[in-house]
Amino acid sequence: MAREVVYLHDVDPRPNYMSTWERFKHREVHWLVEMFAEMLGVFLYVYAGLGPTAALIVGNLTAESGIGSKNLHVALYTIGFAYAIGIVLAVTLCSAASGGHFSPGVTITLALFRGFPKAKAVRYIVAQILGSYLTCLVVYVQWKDLLVAAEEVLNAKGLYNTLMFTNLGPAGVFALYVSPGTNLHRALLNEFVTDFMLGLAICGVMDPTNHFIPPMVAPWIIGFTYSVAIWGYAPTAIAANTARDVGGRLMALTIWGKQAAGGPYAAIAALTNIPATVLAFAVYDLFLGSGTRTLTPYHVDFLRARVQYQQDNGLPPQLRPDGLKSGENSLSNGAKKHIGDMPGVERRPTVRNHV
C-alpha cells in the first residue's frame, strides 16, 4: 500500500510571506538557490577543516600555549575529524536544495555519466570555488592576528622565503603546497589513487540499490572516507577537491600575491581529482553497479520524495517518475519483477543447487 504524502505545511503552517517566497524561489530563482546551496555546502566543509589546520601551523610556529597540538598525529586526527563533520554538515543541510555535489570533480562526472545539465554544471563549479574562496577569506580575518605573528616569527628566524609558502607556513593554511624537495610524480600518484578511493565511496553511497548504505548513513561514509585520506596521505600532499584547492589558492594570491601561486604542484592539486573521480564512476558502473538490482526501501522513499518535490514545484525532472509510482514499484505493492520479465531478456528456468 502506498504511503500517504504529507507536506510540511500541512502539519506546520507557514506564514504567508514564506509561502509567497517559496513559490517565487522555486519558479523564478531556483538556479540561484542551487548555487547558494553549493556555495554554502563548500563553506561548511572547508570552514570546519581550516580552523584546526590554522591551529596546527600557527601553534607550531609561535609556540603559543593552547593553540594546536605539538603532537603531529593528534593534530592530523583532529583535522581529519573536523573535515568529516564539515562534510556531514554540508550534505545534511544543503543536499536537499542542490543535490550536494560540493566538488567540481563530482559535478563534471555527473554531467558525463548521469546526464547532469552542462549549463547547470558550470554554475555549480563557479559556486563551489566561490564558496571556498569566501571561506578562506573569512577564516583569514578570524585568524589574522595570529597568522601575522607566525609570519613575524619566520621573518625573525630568516625562514620566511623557505617556509612561508609550504605546507608548514601560514599560507599553507589556505592554499595547498608540498614540502621542499617533494617528488611531484609521487605526489601525483598519491593524489590520484586517494581521489579514486574517494570517488568509489561517493559512487557507493549514491547507488540506490546498495542495501548496505541507506541515505541517512551516506554523509558519514563520505565524511570519514575523506578523513581516511587526510590521516593516511595528507602528509605526502593531498587536495581531493578542485573547489577547495582553487578557492584557497585564489585567496592566497589575493593576500600574498604571485609568490603564493604554488608552482607546478598547483596543477596537480587542482586537476588530478577530476580524472580520478571520472575513472572511479566508470569502474563502479562497469564492475560494481547493476541496473537490474532492486532499490532499497529507504531509497524508494527518498527518491519518491525528491520526485514529488520536483513535480509540485515545476522543476525539471532528474529521475523517471513513472518508475517510482506506487502502483508500479515492486517495493510498494509486493509485485516482483524478474530480470527475465524485462524487454529483450530471455527468461530462463530456475536452477536450484542443493548442498
Side-chain angles (χ1 to χ4, degrees), residues 190-200 238-240 272-273 276-277:
N190 182 72
E191 183 75 39
F192 189 90
V193 175
T194 307
D195 295 344
F196 176 78
M197 177 192 70
L198 286 169
L200 284 179
I238 187 170
T272 305
N273 72 94
T277 306

Side-chain angles (χ1 to χ4, degrees), residues 50-343:
L50 286 182
T53 304
L56 169 64
I57 292 176
V58 170
N60 284 339
L61 290 176
T62 63
E64 290 213 21
S65 61
I67 301 179
S69 171
K70 307 306 177 187
N71 188 312
L72 179 60
H73 299 291
V74 173
L76 199 60
Y77 276 102
T78 301
I79 294 170
F81 275 116
Y83 270 113
I85 298 301
I87 289 172
V88 171
L89 287 174
V91 174
T92 54
L93 295 178
C94 302
S95 289
S98 68
H101 296 191
F102 312 131
S103 166
V106 172
T107 299
I108 291 170
T109 303
L110 293 178
L112 293 175
F113 288 96
R114 301 291 189 270
F116 191 75
K118 305 298 190 296
K120 183 184 285 192
V122 173
R123 293 199 299 267
Y124 272 37
I125 292 171
V126 170
Q128 292 156 2
I129 294 174
L130 181 60
S132 176
Y133 177 79
L134 293 176
T135 310
C136 291
L137 279 179
V138 170
V139 174
Y140 175 78
V141 172
Q142 291 176 277
W143 278 82
K144 183 173 181 179
D145 293 340
L146 291 168
L147 289 167
V148 170
E151 288 187 55
E152 292 173 351
V153 169
L154 290 179
N155 278 316
K157 294 181 177 180
L159 297 174
Y160 185 91
N161 293 329
T162 304
L163 294 180
M164 178 63 190
F165 301 104
T166 70
N167 57 344
L168 302 176
V173 174
F174 309 100
L176 302 172
Y177 304 101
V178 290
S179 300
T182 298
N183 185 299
L184 292 184
H185 293 93
R186 282 192 282 273
L188 174 62
L189 178 64
N190 182 72
E191 183 75 39
F192 189 90
V193 175
T194 307
D195 295 344
F196 176 78
M197 177 192 70
L198 286 169
L200 284 179
I202 294 170
C203 290
V205 303
M206 289 179 61
D207 185 354
T209 70
N210 192 332
H211 287 253
F212 292 99
I213 308 177
M216 67 284 292
V217 178
W220 295 96
I221 292 178
I222 297 174
F224 279 109
T225 303
Y226 199 93
S227 293
V228 169
I230 292 173
W231 295 332
Y233 305 98
T236 302
I238 187 170
N241 187 330
T242 298
R244 163 67 185 92
D245 175 75
V246 174
R249 198 167 303 282
L250 290 175
M251 176 270 171
L253 289 168
T254 301
I255 301 298
W256 291 289
K258 293 181 180 179
Q259 53 189 341
Y265 174 70
I268 295 174
L271 300 175
T272 305
N273 72 94
I274 297 174
T277 306
V278 170
L279 180 62
F281 271 67
V283 168
Y284 192 93
D285 284 354
L286 289 172
F287 299 105
L288 304 178
S290 175
T292 60
R293 296 176 184 151
T294 60
L295 274 66
T296 75
Y298 300 105
H299 284 92
V300 169
D301 287 341
F302 178 78
L303 296 175
R304 188 177 291 149
R306 184 174 164 191
V307 167
Q308 188 75 48
Y309 173 77
Q310 292 166 353
Q311 291 177 335
D312 289 344
N313 294 285
L315 302 174
Q318 297 178 358
L319 299 166
R320 291 174 55 189
D322 291 345
L324 292 169
K325 286 182 179 178
S326 59
E328 298 176 11
N329 192 278
S330 62
L331 293 173
S332 32
N333 62 8
K336 296 180 180 179
K337 288 185 180 179
H338 298 279
I339 295 176
D341 297 330
M342 300 175 66

Side-chain angles (χ1 to χ4, degrees), residues 5-24:
V5 176
V6 180
Y7 295 93
L8 177 61
H9 58 65
D10 292 333
V11 296
D12 183 15
R14 315 286 276 175
N16 289 336
Y17 71 87
M18 280 301 300
S19 299
T20 302
W21 160 247
E22 287 186 353
R23 285 194 297 270
F24 176 75

